[in-house]
Amino acid sequence: MNNRDCYTNRELSWMQFNERVLNEAGNPRVPLAERLTFASIYQSNLDEFFMVRVGTLMMQMRANEEVRENKTNMTSEEQVMAILKRTRELEKKKAKIYEQLMGELEPQGVRIINFNKLSSEEGALLEQYFDNHIAPFLSPMIIGKQQPFPFLNNRQLYAVVLLETKNGKRKIGIVPCTNSVFKRLIEIPSRPGTFMLCEELILHFVSKLFVKYKICEKSIMRITRNADIDASDVYDEDLDYRGMMEHLIKQRTRLSPVRLELSREIDEKVKKDIADFLGICQEHILKVDTPLDLSFVFQLQDFLRSKTELFYEKRSPRWTPALRAKESILDQVAKKDVLLSYPFESIKPFLRMLHEAAEDDSVVSIKMTLYRVADKSKVIDALIEAAENGKEVVVLIELRARFDEANNIEMSRRLEDAGCRIIYGLGEYKVHSKLCLITRNTEEGLSYITQIGTGNYNEKTSRLYTDLSLLTGNQEIGAEAAKVFQALMLGETAEETDHLLVAPKCLQNKVLALMDEEIAKAKNGQEGYIGVKINSLTDKVIIEKLIEASKAGVKVELIVRGICCLVPGIEGKTDHITVVSVVGRFLEHSRIYRFGTGDQDKIYIASADFMTRNTVRRVEVAVPIYDEAIKQRLRHIFDTIMADDEKGKIQTSERLYVDRDLGEEKLNSQEFFYEEAYRAEAERETF
């Protein structure tokens, strides 16, 4: 039976997710200042989506590749056109929400204004400010034979003007508006809390930059460029791998445009000329009714800091009750497994464990995979300390972590200078696993302490993303982790595993086998259950297995924050499948796999989403949970998120995400978990 009606296009599903982010910007139940953050996140998400996904699709179009999406059979061109259509619709929605936000900010003493709302005295002061503090740092240019169309930097702001000479000839003028010398927000001297955007000030006085011309039309513009370069595309045998990645970063800044945004409508011929120069169709030129760069909202938040009611209640990660702070973390983990749940619990126990390992005479080696780390990383500091103390430190640092390449290159240099052995990923596969192995030489012999997580070793994001981290002294898991590292050091991947699920060769197939066990139970009249919490679901092989499970009567509960290519609730096919998405204060990032019910269930936490790139094209690791108390805790976490009807939306068979009411009081799972963490800390202090 054809299951095509059970699928949603990947790109359009992602846009639904970003709309859920935008909806939080317009949600009156979210504190006002925090709604500004969601508006900015919506825009930065969309920027990256165009840079990566639309960029890839447009490269396929330019190469005349007949590539069809494998679920809905849409061509690259059909997907791009659908994306542009949906973007225009969402821009209208964003404009309404932005206008609403600005209106609600005014009673709080903050406003963004234009020249129409200024007195003549205020206008004169701003003109003086422009003349003295902005104009000297601008570089206006007129497009002509002697001055060709300039290179436009990715996501930077420019004023574009249609100029007319005295004899009626028309030309295009361009003024870069992004500059580190002057401020983006310019405060009106006579009205504290009232600001004008610098690009609007430049646009208003742009005639002073082109004094010999009449200004016919003007607008702010912003270009988005493709950022999707594969390292294999820039291979240079004269460069080492790190040098090649640095070359890649430089190349990215000059890739083809995929979108041009305009703040005002301008002459069609001017638009055509710009489109021709940029090499894009006019369909890729979008009129935007909000500021083209919303990052200034964080400065507005700073102005509002004293009004605590406009922000979320202050929360900070708590120390886990599973560990005693004054005793060795290594020794405690050797005796019992510990689960850390970020951001509700702190990453500090893991960081302390790393520092202990760096100083402990019994520790002989630390091996670790790094994908994204903080700018001033305490993890890096601990690894350097360990190497300087004579430990063997092996770090696989993935230089291809998109948009974090430069930071990873710098960190790799620091580690290498300290004497760490560095591996730059595998040629064919990105290494996305979150795996740390500490090897000790004890009186009883070789001993392992292993950490396996769902999120990066990044202190900053551990306060912003929900993630899970298992610390275990289980020697069988440690031995398998050692085999994973042994393979990586040889440039290979794990071929077989008994405990861990390790992509690319031992994850998808084992997940399918676990699902088959639940299908067999259902066919034998027993209760079959599959529960999965992930960021994205696109792997067609796994989706087909979930459809098969539903048809067999297996209860399937999916918590999918972002892309979900599976449509639930279709009679006879997916009617036993429930899909929930949670978009809240913290980014849902943890991955949990559940198979079966009761005491015999199998539970894993993992670094892998159910996307083909994760399941068969990357090195990923999922770890089984053997400690019964931790299993019960993960069931509790999963079930609580499934019941979230404050931030959780349920997907319908019509591919819509809608609200639901499950109880008298709305449940916000993230706030609930923080309350639990604070309560657990208070109870521990009582005793």
Side-chain angles (χ1 to χ4, degrees), residues 277 282 601:
F277 171 77
Q282 288 203 55
D601 63 347

Side-chain angles (χ1 to χ4, degrees), residues 354 365-373 377 379-384 386-387 391-399 408 411-416 418-426 431 435-437 457 485 488-489:
L354 270 187
S365 74
I366 303 174
K367 298 181 175 72
M368 203 166 185
T369 60
L370 296 181
Y371 194 74
R372 301 185 196 275
V373 295
S377 173
V379 172
I380 298 292
D381 291 344
L383 295 174
I384 288 172
K391 317 290 184 190
E392 179 195 26
V393 179
V394 179
V395 183
L396 191 150
I397 187 161
E398 182 53 77
L399 298 188
N408 285 4
M411 294 302 170
S412 73
R413 285 201 175 98
R414 285 187 60 203
L415 290 166
E416 201 168 54
C420 302
R421 178 180 171 185
I422 304 299
I423 307 169
Y424 299 128
L426 303 182
V431 179
L435 184 62
C436 176
L437 179 68
Y457 298 108
F485 276 110
L488 291 174
M489 288 187 287

Side-chain angles (χ1 to χ4, degrees), residues 62-75:
R62 289 189 177 112
N64 292 319
E65 297 178 20
E66 182 60 31
V67 179
R68 288 185 177 271
E69 195 255 352
N70 70 347
K71 302 170 192 71
T72 58
N73 207 37
M74 293 174 71
T75 65

Side-chain angles (χ1 to χ4, degrees), residues 664-677:
E664 291 184 10
E665 289 188 21
K666 290 279 190 181
L667 171 64
N668 182 326
S669 59
Q670 295 179 352
E671 291 297 329
F672 179 83
F673 293 139
Y674 243 126
E675 288 167 8
E676 281 192 331

Side-chain angles (χ1 to χ4, degrees), residues 33 42 60 96 113 188 218 239 306 384 403 408 433 457 465 488 512 530 548 587 624 626 642 645 654 656 666 674:
Y42 166 82
Q60 292 171 357
K96 289 181 180 177
I113 63 170
I188 310 302
K218 56 187 178 180
L239 295 173
S306 62
I384 288 172
F403 305 123
N408 285 4
S433 56
Y457 298 108
Y465 296 2
L488 291 174
L512 295 173
I530 298 169
E548 181 185 341
L587 182 81
Y626 294 140
M642 274 300 296
D645 56 356
E654 288 77 34
L656 301 174
K666 290 279 190 181
Y674 243 126

